[in-house]
Amino acid sequence: MIGKPGCHLCEDARAVIERVVAETGDSFEEVALDADPDFARYAEEIPVTFVDGRQHDYWRVDEGRLRAALHR
């Protein structure tokens, strides 16, 4: 997940992701928007989530959709 400090949508997304990965046994990494200049293109979409290196969601994370993507 790409996010930034103080982002309430990022906090919501993190909670959903943590809940789902706790059930599935998967893991996730959170990186800061300013950690890489290439992330600047996501500035208007954070939080941005990725599954297997591909963009999955932005702004809000749908728990069911994320769970389904992780079970593929």
Side-chain angles (χ1 to χ4, degrees):
M1 176 181 109
I2 299 173
K4 70 178 185 178
C7 167
H8 71 281
L9 292 177
C10 298
E11 293 170 7
D12 294 347
R14 184 182 312 107
V16 171
I17 294 167
E18 287 175 343
R19 188 168 47 248
V20 171
V21 299
E23 294 172 13
T24 65
D26 292 289
S27 63
F28 85 102
E29 178 182 355
E30 183 174 349
V31 295
L33 180 64
D34 61 0
D36 186 321
D38 289 337
F39 294 163
R41 67 177 178 243
Y42 300 113
E44 299 298 320
E45 299 178 342
I46 62 165
V48 181
T49 56
F50 295 82
V51 174
D52 295 329
R54 297 182 65 193
Q55 186 172 345
H56 177 70
D57 267 328
Y58 61 95
W59 294 330
R60 304 235 184 245
V61 178
D62 180 276
E63 190 167 336
R65 193 167 117 71
L66 177 59
R67 190 176 288 111
L70 292 174
H71 283 289
R72 290 182 190 172

